[in-house]
Amino acid sequence: MNSDEKRGCECAPPQAESTPSGRIDRSLEESDTENPEASRMKRAAAKHLIERYYHQLTEGCGNEACTNEFCASCPGFRRMDNNAAAVKALELYKINAKLCDPHPSKKGTSSAYLENSAKGPHHNSACSDRKMNRKDLNPARDDFKDLNYLTEEKVYEILDICGEKEDYSPLIRVIGRVFSSTEGLVQSFRKSKHHTKEELKSLQAKDEDKDEDEKEKAACSATAMEEDSEASSSRTGEDSTQGDNNVTKLGPDEVSVDVEAVRRVYSKLLANEKVEAAFLNALVYLSPNVECDLTYHNVYSRDPNYLNLFVIVMENSNLHSPEYLEIALPLFCKAMSKLPLPALAKLARMWSHYSADQVRRMTETFQQLITYKVISNEFNGRNLVNDDDAVTAATKCLKIVYYANVLGGDLDIEHNEEEDEEPVPESSELTLQELLGEERRNKKGPRVDPLETELGVKTIDCRCPLIPFEEFVNEPLNDVLEMDKDYTFFKVETENKFSFMTCPFILNAVTKNLGLYYDNRIRMYSERRITVLYSLVQGQQLNPYLRLKVRRDHIIDDALVRLEMIAMENPADLKKQLYVEFEGEQGVDEGGVSKEFFQLVVEEIFNPDIGMFTYDETTKLFWFNPSSFETEGQFTLIGIVLGLAIYNNCILDIHFPMVVYRKLMGKKGTFRDLADSHPVLYQSLKETLEYEGNVEEDMMITFQISQTDLFGNPLMYDLRENGDKIPVTNENRKEFVAQYAEYMLNKSVEKQFKAFRRGFHMVTNESPLKYLFRPEEIELLICGSRNLDFQALEETTEYDGGYSKDSSIIKDFWETVHSFGEEQKRLFLQFTTGTDRAPVGGLGKLKMIIAKNGPDTDRLPTSHTCFNVLLLPEYSNKEKLRERLLKAITYAKGFGML
């Protein structure tokens, strides 16, 4: 045996002495045929050899006259960085290259490894035993200066060494160096290469024992080193093919970092106060470099593994602590917000696999920063919160978590309503850019979030998110947001001004409604202006408003004829400000007359005697009548009315199930929607799905269903061709239930709903309504809040004409109102404001005025519903006040309302 062969055998474990070291690869491949202990020993030997080659390439043997071309001590050796050395070490191991004996003067880790291998079988088996290995390494690795990236094993090794000495400064220095380095952090905590089925079988026995599991991690570190080196070579350009292959192995929602290992490391290290500060300081140093990389160097497109950095930092459970909120977290959020769209999408996909608690932790981290910055600064019309980099960056980061929350929830991306065959005509409105003298930048149509498009998912697709959507709303931010200016930034879309309307999840319904109000008013102003221009240029009649003149006794006919004419001739007129006039009645429509008009139209159309809608006594909800005799125009009218109510900021007393609003937003009704709209049918179908017996024999139902028309006659419908001959069985019952729901919620009312939706879109097609609001918020916009808090109304009410909140009659008035029952309170609200619902945000958002209307008298109180003003005479006592007020609100419809 020559000297080279002797050196090769010296490092092999005794169990492998009979086999040439060059055959270790083959023996590892055949590990599934051996006992687990032998397999473990051979893996440890492989790991040991690779580490020896690595130290030989980076440190050398210490002999200045060394002739080994693969040794750093050789005079002709070309120095390489640690990543390249890791790759080369693997190559040398595979070809069984020459290994040097460490020179006696060499005091490095290589000598420690050699001593271990030379001590015999028992000591050699300890090469995978962490404690003994660390004691041997301790004298040589106190500074860990050559450690440029971390693995879980290396962290535990250093932690144990520091614990024995009770000196954590080496660990602090390592964390400071690695966690402040983009390259170091990107390379750290990589996943091990996936095992083959045969390898997994041989490893199963090890999972039963915790110590054996630890040893397996050590044995697998060689393959982890291989992945590290491949990724690094793609970064340095030394072996781009290897790097690309490593990247392509990852799925669209996968990263190469071992998240579970990172969590275990953090749980160990963050418990140590001495170590915790190192993470904070490292993040402060790291973040500006990351921001620079992403802004100027396009680093993510060159190395997708760069995303590992953000994954690792976000696993730090202390990010929301006060120490981070001041400097570190704002800097990191600013860097993170610079990620390109594909990287944001990949983060969202990856985080969507996290648990609800983990998503909530990340949500709270960004929310804490936003709240801290909002509270610690004084934002106003001059100092806008939109200009605060920390708040805007944290909001952009929160958007990633929001979409992860959507993706990780209960998704339904299939059942979508078909688009209208005929597109809704666009209005001729001037956009805000044009009004400001700028050219139009985007085509008309609803705005879509770019990240939403990249992910291929919408908020409406999510039936149930991982955590409630409400947890993403930041109330302190809503309180200081100047919505008029934010809306301007949203509409103009300048790059240097951030609009929170681009992240509607963080806004509450009140704030979003204000943004919608500004959009509607701008559009109304645009229509008025263009009308004036047309009248001047073309000599057309000046008609800047949507005027409706109706008779009380024929309100539906008059409104239907007028609105149908407008819809056919110029749909853009529907976007003008509504102006209603009742024939034969005096009164200027400042909003109150419109409120009454809407209320009367709704009462008429939803009258069960007309037959347009059916009413369910149990749910108190309306549904489209599939056998209605009314024309499609009637359903188009109610759709227009709903759109106009939103557009003109009016509340309607409409009671639809939630599926109607989901359908308006573009989703079809499915089986689960029946729970809200048809609860009895839902329960019956649910029992069919859950029935444990034989459905065909016990229930004897087929794919033919029956309904009754307006006159009680049965109508049969086949869910499948010849449905009466197809029995429902245990195998096809899911199909039966799905088709039953499809018929009830979609097919049977298709004609009526399409007309209804078309009318709604005539008014709202260019509005940011879909972009800003979820279905439940659309219902709130149209119907208002059912929760009537009269205490909040009292606190916000203003007084005029000599009254104040301390006036004795005002005190009597509120005592009287608070003593009313629920129905009387609704009548009072109807009398004073024109509707019995609270606006979005509750009665506290309703600015009511109580004005003095003369001295004591027998006259009844009156109201200006358009201004929410109650005219109250100064009655002599509380009893008279109560009697007069009750009579006024009880007999007020069509009387006493101006």
Side-chain angles (χ1 to χ4, degrees), residues 374 377 379-380 383-385 475-482:
V374 166
N377 289 282
F379 294 111
N380 49 45
N383 180 29
L384 297 176
V385 69
E475 292 296 346
L477 172 66
N478 281 263
D479 291 340
V480 301
L481 186 60
E482 299 286 337

Side-chain angles (χ1 to χ4, degrees), residues 547-551 554-566 574 580 597 601 605 633-634 637 640-641 644:
R547 292 183 178 274
L548 291 180
K549 190 172 184 178
V550 295
R551 297 167 291 175
H554 301 83
I555 191 167
I556 295 297
D557 294 336
D558 292 351
L560 180 61
V561 169
R562 178 69 180 133
L563 290 173
E564 276 187 330
M565 287 179 61
I566 292 170
L574 293 173
V580 177
F597 163 77
V601 168
I605 285 182
Q634 297 272 32
L637 170 62
I640 291 174
V641 167
L644 287 175

Side-chain angles (χ1 to χ4, degrees), residues 74 82 203 322 756:
C74 178
N82 293 338
L203 297 177
F756 170 75

Side-chain angles (χ1 to χ4, degrees), residues 734-753:
K734 284 187 178 179
E735 180 191 354
F736 169 75
V737 167
Q739 291 188 358
Y740 203 144
E742 168 70 13
Y743 173 74
M744 291 297 296
L745 297 176
N746 303 313
K747 287 185 178 178
S748 65
V749 297
E750 185 175 12
K751 181 180 70 173
Q752 294 88 338
F753 182 78

Side-chain angles (χ1 to χ4, degrees), residues 145-163:
K145 287 181 180 178
D146 61 331
L147 202 57
N148 295 316
Y149 66 92
L150 289 171
T151 63
E152 184 179 10
E153 282 297 307
K154 287 177 182 176
V155 171
Y156 294 157
E157 175 187 320
I158 301 169
L159 190 61
D160 281 359
I161 292 172
C162 293

Side-chain angles (χ1 to χ4, degrees), residues 520-536:
N520 294 339
R521 293 293 156 178
I522 288 287
R523 209 172 298 275
M524 289 176 184
Y525 173 73
S526 300
E527 291 297 340
R528 285 205 297 273
R529 176 168 172 172
I530 202 72
T531 300
V532 172
L533 289 175
Y534 279 138
S535 66
L536 291 173

Side-chain angles (χ1 to χ4, degrees), residues 226-417:
E226 180 178 2
E227 287 206 352
D228 291 342
S229 60
E230 286 177 349
S232 67
S233 63
S234 74
R235 286 169 62 82
T236 57
E238 294 169 7
D239 191 349
S240 60
T241 306
Q242 275 187 319
D244 290 341
N245 288 339
N246 189 40
V247 171
T248 55
K249 292 175 187 176
L250 299 172
D253 55 354
E254 293 179 330
V255 289
S256 56
V257 66
D258 187 343
V259 177
E260 291 300 326
V262 173
R263 287 174 184 164
R264 289 191 292 267
V265 167
Y266 271 126
S267 66
K268 286 238 180 189
L269 297 185
L270 292 178
N272 190 320
E273 293 181 4
K274 298 176 182 176
V275 177
E276 185 182 357
F279 289 109
L280 174 65
N281 296 330
L283 189 59
V284 173
Y285 185 85
L286 172 78
S287 299
N289 295 331
V290 174
E291 184 182 355
C292 182
D293 280 350
L294 291 170
T295 306
Y296 302 108
H297 300 150
N298 198 22
V299 67
Y300 177 76
S301 62
R302 289 188 285 111
D303 181 13
N305 284 311
Y306 198 82
L307 210 58
N308 292 4
L309 182 153
F310 297 94
V311 177
I312 293 171
V313 172
M314 284 305 299
E315 287 302 322
N316 185 338
S317 58
N318 283 1
L319 282 179
H320 63 275
S321 62
E323 293 81 7
Y324 285 86
L325 294 178
E326 186 65 39
I327 299 174
L329 190 55
L331 288 174
F332 179 72
C333 287
K334 194 176 177 186
M336 191 175 184
S337 67
K338 304 294 183 183
L339 279 169
L341 192 60
L344 298 176
K346 187 161 190 175
L347 267 183
R349 290 192 192 100
M350 196 207 81
W351 285 341
S352 70
H353 297 291
Y354 283 17
S355 69
D357 287 340
Q358 289 159 347
V359 170
R360 179 176 281 109
R361 176 185 60 78
M362 290 192 292
T363 302
E364 290 173 351
T365 295
F366 296 124
Q367 290 282 37
Q368 286 270 32
L369 175 58
I370 295 168
T371 303
Y372 169 75
K373 288 296 181 182
V374 166
I375 291 175
S376 59
N377 289 282
E378 292 186 7
F379 294 111
N380 49 45
R382 292 183 177 180
N383 180 29
L384 297 176
V385 69
N386 305 69
D387 296 327
D388 189 291
D389 289 340
V391 175
T392 57
T395 304
K396 291 174 184 176
C397 296
L398 187 61
K399 182 191 283 190
I400 310 171
V401 185
Y402 174 78
Y403 278 106
N405 185 50
V406 169
L407 284 170
D410 185 1
L411 286 180
D412 173 18
I413 57 176
E414 297 178 357
H415 302 92
N416 299 314
E417 287 279 0

